[in-house]
Amino acid sequence: MSKQANKSFDNKKLVGELFTLTYGALVTQLIKDFEKDEDVNKQLEKMGYNIGVRLVEDFMSHSNTGKCQDLRETAEILSKVAFKMYLNITPTVAKWSPANDEFSLILDNNPLVEFVELPDEHREINYSNILCGAIKGALEMLQMEVLTWFPKDSLKGDDVTELRVKFVRRLTDALPAGED
Amino acid sequence: MTIYSVYVVNKAGGLIFQYDHSRPSQENEKTFSYPLELKLEPQSDGVSVVFGQRDGIKIGHVVLSVNGKQAHGKKLEDGADIMQVISEEENYPISIKFGRPVLTSNQKIMMASMFHSLYAISVQLSPEHKSSGIHKLEVDTFSLQCYQTQTGVKFIVISDPRQIGVDLLLHKLYAIYSDFALKNPFYSLEMPIRAKLFDVNVKSSVEQIEKTGTVV
């Protein structure tokens, strides 16, 4: 009986590791293809953007959240529902700017970087840049233009990985009827 | 209790998916002898009845087939012109099937974009601020229910007015869209959905709702 339980637990872990391995293979291939670190970062962000625009519909159809009234609500839902649903982690929301238009997500255990160490020749790579792109793409589909970047990255020697999100403006050109 | 059709409209008002589950059959096939008592006239969508309504064949019905051969517009599938076949006495007794004309895909696209505009107008007309758009349009023969997602995609289901569980179906359609259309990397956003898996799943959900009133 306990052997069965062990087996199922290991299975989930193995799937998670497969995800980490796959992402790692992706980044190394991009490095081989593009050579320059900033090109790799740009590609990762583009890929994340494409994932984000599609993932947002899946998120909305499975989570029953209504429209967020302000950025604080968006931050809460991002960290407690979205990250939990897709990566099974709950980053902490912190460091709000005085105008309440910027916030940080502190990621303590990022599944993407589980066994990763950045080599010296690729110091500038934002390894988890796909997350930046995904958040940007998803929020853009919900009519919010945001900027996302990593002010701190644990792979580069900082103590935590911090993803900063800055609200730029509301996109009003493609508003669905009923939202203003 | 039937679901007649499903439409999916993108952000810009363009129809990206359409599925007709059932059509109430209003077809009549009858054998006629010369001369034909109905007055027929060729029109844009086929040869239609303009005078002489009888036996369930009404004005506006078009010729669907002659002697078992399907009609395509004003011609039969073997190329013969329908008006000519009907006017020649040697072809009688002739069996002709009449029915309501089916909406062409262009007409459906036009209807979908018109609905999209009406949806936007309904928001403007609202006396209260921040109203939603049209949820339900009811007519004595059908009811049209619409669900707009936060991203602007509309799911529209046309069903029997007494059908229950349509809102569940709308949410299920959203989930199917997010799975089989969006997770398919070869599908481009806002374009017509051409995925077999999507069609299959929509069909099975519609059938489930019709039979049981809930979806799994």
Side-chain angles (χ1 to χ4, degrees):
Chain A
M1 193 62 150
S2 66
K3 208 169 182 184
Q4 290 276 54
N6 262 346
K7 257 194 172 154
S8 69
F9 169 67
D10 278 343
N11 202 17
K12 268 198 200 143
K13 217 166 165 278
L14 288 173
V15 173
E17 287 184 7
L18 180 62
F19 175 59
T20 311
L21 268 176
T22 311
Y23 187 65
L26 180 79
V27 177
T28 41
Q29 190 59 43
L30 281 177
I31 293 174
K32 283 204 193 96
D33 290 338
F34 289 98
E35 290 159 9
K36 277 208 255 167
D37 287 355
E38 60 241 40
D39 288 342
V40 176
N41 287 338
K42 246 191 270 171
Q43 273 302 111
L44 280 174
E45 182 155 2
K46 246 196 249 176
M47 290 166 67
Y49 179 84
N50 287 328
I51 293 178
V53 298
R54 289 162 183 260
L55 207 60
V56 69
E57 304 261 18
D58 182 70
F59 175 69
M60 299 302 291
S61 69
H62 289 116
S63 73
N64 292 327
T65 36
K67 194 131 177 61
C68 288
Q69 298 304 323
D70 57 13
L71 198 63
R72 284 199 173 255
E73 251 190 83
T74 309
E76 286 299 306
I77 300 224
L78 248 184
S79 71
K80 295 203 170 51
V81 191
F83 267 90
K84 182 99 180 92
M85 202 191 262
Y86 293 112
L87 294 171
N88 205 21
I89 53 170
T90 356
T92 8
V93 182
K95 297 200 182 170
W96 281 96
S97 68
N100 273 341
D101 62 347
E102 274 186 52
F103 64 92
S104 283
L105 291 163
I106 317 278
L107 299 137
D108 343 305
N109 51 341
N110 185 356
L112 295 172
V113 304
E114 235 185 289
F115 307 110
V116 180
E117 267 182 43
L118 266 188
D120 290 324
E121 56 266 25
H122 297 292
R123 280 267 118 199
E124 293 306 308
I125 292 203
N126 292 331
Y127 193 81
S128 311
N129 223 19
I130 208 165
L131 294 176
C132 277
I135 294 177
K136 187 170 190 320
L139 291 178
E140 195 172 300
M141 290 294 273
L142 299 170
Q143 295 91 42
M144 285 185 268
E145 190 181 313
V146 293
L147 282 174
T148 49
W149 71 99
F150 280 107
K152 283 198 196 165
D153 196 343
S154 57
L155 289 179
K156 294 185 183 163
D158 301 312
D159 43 345
V160 284
T161 307
E162 187 187 322
L163 204 169
R164 197 141 178 88
V165 179
K166 180 183 162 71
F167 175 78
V168 175
R169 61 191 182 101
R170 281 215 87 183
L171 298 162
T172 50
D173 47 345
L175 274 185
E179 327 270 342
D180 56 8
Chain B
M1 296 265 269
T2 36
I3 306 266
Y4 295 123
S5 36
V6 172
Y7 291 75
V8 181
V9 178
N10 68 11
K11 270 197 278 219
L15 187 65
I16 58 176
F17 178 73
Q18 199 278 320
Y19 169 62
D20 282 325
H21 184 66
S22 64
R23 282 187 67 231
S25 67
Q26 285 176 26
E27 293 171 353
N28 291 296
E29 182 149 27
K30 292 231 159 16
T31 321
F32 298 94
S33 55
Y34 193 78
L36 197 60
E37 282 138 14
L38 304 162
K39 190 149 179 8
L40 299 175
E41 240 180 52
Q43 276 173 5
S44 54
D45 47 352
V47 177
S48 62
V49 178
V50 288
F51 196 71
Q53 193 159 295
R54 52 171 278 201
D55 291 339
I57 300 171
K58 303 206 161 94
I59 292 184
H61 279 197
V62 292
V63 172
L64 294 177
S65 74
V66 175
N67 283 339
K69 289 181 229 160
Q70 278 273 311
H72 295 291
K74 304 189 198 56
K75 287 191 159 44
L76 293 176
E77 52 188 5
D78 55 4
D81 185 58
I82 297 179
M83 288 307 291
Q84 198 160 3
V85 167
I86 291 177
S87 57
E88 282 160 11
E89 190 176 345
E90 61 251 22
N91 294 322
Y92 284 79
I94 200 170
S95 161
I96 312 178
K97 197 197 294 186
F98 291 94
R100 267 191 88 218
V102 190
L103 281 178
T104 63
S105 18
N106 277 341
Q107 284 173 326
K108 286 180 185 161
I109 293 175
M110 215 182 53
M111 299 288 181
S113 38
M114 228 186 281
F115 181 76
H116 172 85
S117 317
L118 283 176
Y119 189 97
I121 291 174
S122 68
V123 173
Q124 310 268 353
L125 280 177
S126 163
E128 295 274 329
H129 187 54
K130 281 247 180 204
S131 153
S132 77
I134 298 177
H135 277 167
K136 191 168 183 174
L137 196 113
E138 212 167 306
V139 151
D140 44 347
T141 46
F142 72 87
S143 88
L144 181 154
Q145 274 161 289
C146 174
Y147 170 59
Q148 178 174 259
T149 67
Q150 301 278 9
T151 46
V153 180
K154 287 192 234 333
F155 296 90
I156 299 165
V157 170
I158 296 183
S159 66
D160 189 288
R162 296 155 299 164
Q163 178 72 44
I164 45 165
V166 182
D167 35 324
L168 284 172
L169 176 63
L170 286 168
H171 281 86
K172 179 78 177 147
L173 285 173
Y174 188 26
I176 296 175
Y177 169 72
S178 75
D179 288 339
F180 295 98
L182 294 184
K183 291 192 183 133
N184 180 359
F186 299 106
Y187 167 66
S188 344
L189 256 58
E190 310 297 314
M191 289 285 116
I193 304 174
R194 300 238 177 282
K196 216 177 217 146
L197 283 175
F198 184 74
D199 301 338
V200 160
N201 276 277
V202 167
K203 184 163 195 278
S204 83
S205 302
V206 168
E207 279 168 0
Q208 250 185 356
I209 282 278
E210 267 193 325
K211 287 201 190 91
T212 63
T214 45
V215 276
V216 153

